[in-house]
């Protein structure tokens, strides 16, 4: 990760879950390319790395490439946590599911070489996921009550 960040002169903003933010002073981030995110604005990022945060929808709306880094995926689907499946399965999600750091770095490299643009299949999912804002209340009503 450090080599990737250095190669592209990028900074990784690490944003812990809100319930861990009060412990932010305990994070010992020594890499100059990694820092705790403060006042993160989705539109300022080139890539979003997540496990299954709902924050992904902000990035999908902006067509920012997404990488799902989920090293404990087998534990997740095996029921070791509160959830064992997602409302939006990974095969219909907005980026590649990576279960280890090597695959994640490879996917980050792939995205960088693609000028930090999402792959066409992911871009199509992003563009077609949201209802258009024009007349959205009526469309949502029709969708909910006519399906």
């Amino acid at each position: 990760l450090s080599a990737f960040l250095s190669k592209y002169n990028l900074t990784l903003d690490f944003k812990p879950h809100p319930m861990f933010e009060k412990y932010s002073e305990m994070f010992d981030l020594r890499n100059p390319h990694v820092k705790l995110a403060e006042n993160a604005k989705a539109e300022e990022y080139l890539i979003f790395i997540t496990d299954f945060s709902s924050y992904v929808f902000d990035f999908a709306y902006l067509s920012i490439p997404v990488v799902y880094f989920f090293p404990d995926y087998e534990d997740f689907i095996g029921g070791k946590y509160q959830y064992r499946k997602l409302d939006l399965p990974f095969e219909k999600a907005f980026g590649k599911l990576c279960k280890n750091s090597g695959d994640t770095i490879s996917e980050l490299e792939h995205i960088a070489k693609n000028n930090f643009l999402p792959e066409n299949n992911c871009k199509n999912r992003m563009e077609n996921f949201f209802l258009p804002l024009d007349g959205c209340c009526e469309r949502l009503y029709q969708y909910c009550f006519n399906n």
Side-chain angles (χ1 to χ4, degrees):
L1 179 61
S2 182
F4 169 79
L5 295 171
S6 293
K7 177 179 177 180
Y8 293 96
N9 194 29
L10 298 173
T11 299
L12 174 77
D13 282 354
F14 173 68
K15 182 159 180 55
H17 189 279
M19 63 189 223
F20 291 107
E21 286 179 347
K22 63 183 174 183
Y23 303 110
S24 62
E25 72 280 348
M26 298 178 79
F27 290 100
D28 186 16
L29 303 175
R30 297 177 187 194
N31 187 311
H33 291 279
V34 179
K35 67 181 180 87
L36 283 172
E38 296 178 22
N39 303 318
K41 294 179 183 173
E43 63 273 6
E44 297 176 357
Y45 290 96
L46 296 173
I47 302 173
F48 180 59
I49 305 168
T50 186
D51 51 3
F52 57 88
S53 169
S54 61
Y55 201 34
V56 74
F57 297 107
D58 294 12
F59 291 87
Y61 184 77
L62 296 168
S63 292
I64 295 172
V66 173
V67 176
Y68 295 94
F69 176 53
F70 211 146
D72 54 347
Y73 180 71
E74 300 306 320
D75 290 336
F76 174 79
I77 62 172
K80 290 191 177 182
Y81 305 118
Q82 184 177 0
Y83 304 103
R84 68 174 64 187
K85 72 176 194 162
L86 303 174
D87 292 330
L88 181 63
F90 286 113
E91 49 280 350
K92 294 182 180 180
F94 309 113
K96 183 176 180 187
L97 170 61
C98 300
K99 298 177 185 176
N100 61 59
S101 57
D103 288 347
T104 303
I105 300 302
S106 294
E107 184 61 14
L108 293 173
E109 281 283 351
H110 179 76
I111 291 169
K113 289 176 183 172
N114 194 36
N115 295 314
F116 298 96
L117 297 171
E119 289 290 322
N120 286 337
N121 64 334
C122 294
K123 184 166 178 49
N124 289 336
R125 289 179 193 153
M126 292 170 172
E127 291 172 351
N128 294 309
F129 185 81
F130 301 96
L131 291 173
L133 290 177
D134 184 42
C136 62
C137 293
E138 179 63 25
R139 271 198 214 63
L140 183 59
Y141 176 83
Q142 293 300 327
Y143 177 81
C144 291
F145 295 102
N146 292 326
N147 284 328

